[in-house]
Amino acid sequence: MATDSLVMELKDSGTALLKKLRQSGFNVTAAAWVKVSVEDRWVLYIATNLVDSRGQTAAYRDLYAALAGHADFWSTIEGIRLISTSDPIAVSILALRQKTPANIPINFGGRTLGGKTIDAAYIYPA
């Protein structure tokens, strides 16, 4: 996968993963693939109130349970970071979402997101 651009396969796998999570009842408040400048890979940040209410460990357990039996997502799961809905990245994603119609993804080329220096981000629709 090219480091400078998010390939369509990654976007599509994220879309399918988020759809499966929502179908299983896993709360997704916001989600985005983010390429933080100091990291050498894209990370799928998923903001969920499960981190707020149950803690990060329990939220990851719920994530794994929601994806049990779906081997096609296991290659993506190592690139997922569950974050609180109050995390600065989540707050920034939600602020950008409010400025854009709900059904349109955002290819964000800003220099920072949630106080982190980034190369780019792909923000999923609400």
Side-chain angles (χ1 to χ4, degrees), residues 10-104:
L10 204 52
K11 290 178 185 179
D12 290 345
S13 69
T15 298
L17 184 139
L18 293 169
K19 181 179 179 181
K20 176 63 186 158
L21 288 176
R22 288 182 172 122
Q23 287 173 343
S24 71
F26 187 94
N27 174 271
V28 176
T29 303
W33 283 106
V34 180
K35 172 65 175 72
V36 177
S37 293
V38 296
E39 296 181 21
D40 195 30
R41 64 188 179 114
W42 287 86
V43 175
L44 180 59
Y45 284 87
I46 299 175
T48 176
N49 63 6
L50 294 171
V51 172
D52 302 319
S53 64
R54 299 187 58 222
Q56 197 151 37
T57 301
Y60 274 103
R61 268 192 295 252
D62 289 352
L63 172 75
Y64 298 140
L67 298 177
H70 298 279
D72 46 330
F73 295 126
W74 290 111
S75 62
T76 306
I77 208 163
E78 71 181 33
I80 294 174
R81 288 202 189 132
L82 297 181
I83 58 175
S84 163
T85 57
S86 62
D87 183 282
I89 288 180
V91 172
S92 293
I93 291 169
L94 291 169
L96 288 165
R97 287 266 23 110
Q98 289 178 351
K99 297 177 184 178
T100 306
N103 295 330
I104 299 174

